[in-house]
Amino acid sequence: MVDERHPLREFDVSRPNVARMYDYYLGGKNHFPADRAAAEKVIAISRGHVREAVRENRDFLGRAVRFLAREAGVRGFLDLGAGLPTQGNVHEVALAAAPDAQVVYVDNDPVVATHGRALLATTPQVSFLEADLRRPDEVISALPAAFALDRPVGVLMVSCLHFVSDQEDPWGLVAAYARALPSGSHIVISHLGSDAFPAEMAQGREVYGAANAMLEARPSASIVRLFDGLRVVDPGVVPLNEWRPAPDALPLRGASLPVLGGVGRVP
């Protein structure tokens, strides 16, 4: 049922959408023919490994959230560029680890907005904010009153900064959020790397050029720079499957995982 207080904005189903493509990679149901066609091109370019990469990304997100809740004592989670709700949502992982946690999802996509509002109906500790992560001052000022910044929080920038162009300065965005957070907060980042498969990344960029956001895979050195000014938690900025893997984690199907991630603590 559509919430009449927040009518759904019209959205273009004829143009591939990065959130819906991601949902398709994960085996979800919230996508349209244009999304599926574009996603299949990326699957072909990657010889199917993009699906492994997005699953590893999802698993990394869950491990990072559990680390913040159980070991770092974080109770407030701000998920930027959240994308479409799917299996293992941040609030599900956070609340399982810490029942008193608060979660705010942030995205500027109208489809994501609709699903985000549905979350509000059943989980009072979850809020949805329709905003652009590239405007940190606006995001921070619009946070609900229940999401207090008087204690450490966790900011999740998972698989979103590679949709921020160099001109939009992703390094400056991370720094801006870090400045707005209390000491002891953590920032979680995952980002697509270009080092291992430069030709495939260039082809993938062409596919995403027709979508609603350009893909900007970056060299590992540029990804590590995102953590400047933060105290990087062990084991550092590494391929996602190497960040505190579960004891029963399965080996990769591919030779390597071209997605790096890490967790940085705000001094």
Side-chain angles (χ1 to χ4, degrees):
M1 182 175 67
V2 175
D3 185 344
E4 295 180 354
R5 296 170 298 172
H6 300 280
L8 177 62
R9 301 197 316 262
E10 292 186 3
F11 56 92
D12 184 3
V13 300
S14 67
R15 185 183 188 189
N17 175 283
V18 297
R20 298 195 297 262
M21 289 171 66
Y22 191 87
D23 182 68
Y24 181 75
Y25 298 141
L26 283 171
K29 300 178 180 179
N30 297 294
H31 39 72
F32 297 95
D35 310 310
R36 294 191 286 273
E40 284 293 344
K41 291 180 181 178
V42 177
I43 290 169
I45 291 168
S46 71
R47 297 181 294 280
H49 293 307
V50 65
R51 283 192 154 139
E52 178 174 58
V54 297
R55 286 194 295 270
E56 290 288 346
N57 189 68
R58 203 71 189 173
D59 290 345
F60 164 74
L61 173 63
R63 296 196 302 275
V65 169
R66 281 187 287 272
F67 161 75
L68 294 183
R70 294 173 179 171
E71 299 184 41
V74 169
R75 292 297 180 265
F77 294 86
L78 179 61
D79 187 4
L80 301 173
L84 288 163
T86 184
Q87 301 90 353
N89 291 308
V90 169
H91 74 281
E92 295 171 334
V93 177
L95 292 173
D100 58 337
Q102 294 280 337
V103 178
V104 177
Y105 292 106
V106 178
D107 207 292
N108 63 349
D109 184 278
V111 175
V112 174
T114 301
H115 286 277
R117 295 182 193 115
L119 291 174
L120 295 177
T122 57
T123 312
Q125 288 164 263
V126 180
S127 302
F128 178 84
L129 177 60
E130 190 170 354
D132 193 326
L133 68 88
R134 293 168 295 186
R135 300 173 180 172
D137 291 343
E138 293 181 16
V139 171
I140 296 298
S141 64
L143 289 173
F147 194 88
L149 288 178
D150 58 354
R151 55 185 176 177
V153 300
V155 172
L156 311 173
M157 307 181 81
V158 174
S159 198
C160 61
L161 290 175
H162 47 234
F163 296 113
V164 177
S165 69
D166 285 357
Q167 291 73 25
E168 293 167 320
D169 189 12
W171 305 277
L173 286 176
V174 176
Y177 281 104
R179 287 193 298 271
L181 302 176
S183 177
S185 295
H186 291 73
I187 297 179
V188 179
I189 298 171
S190 70
H191 195 297
L192 185 63
S194 61
D195 294 344
F197 307 101
E200 289 85 349
M201 293 301 171
Q203 293 175 58
R205 191 177 191 275
E206 290 184 8
V207 176
Y208 277 93
N212 67 320
M214 180 63 74
L215 180 68
E216 294 280 1
R218 293 185 168 94
S220 57
S222 294
I223 298 172
V224 171
R225 275 182 53 210
L226 294 167
F227 292 86
D228 283 358
L230 303 174
R231 297 175 181 171
V232 180
V233 173
D234 287 340
V237 183
V238 295
L240 300 186
N241 59 304
E242 297 178 14
W243 199 90
R244 303 191 177 207
D248 58 350
L250 297 174
L252 292 177
R253 288 175 50 245
S256 62
L257 187 71
V259 189
L260 301 180
V263 177
R265 185 179 186 275
V266 177

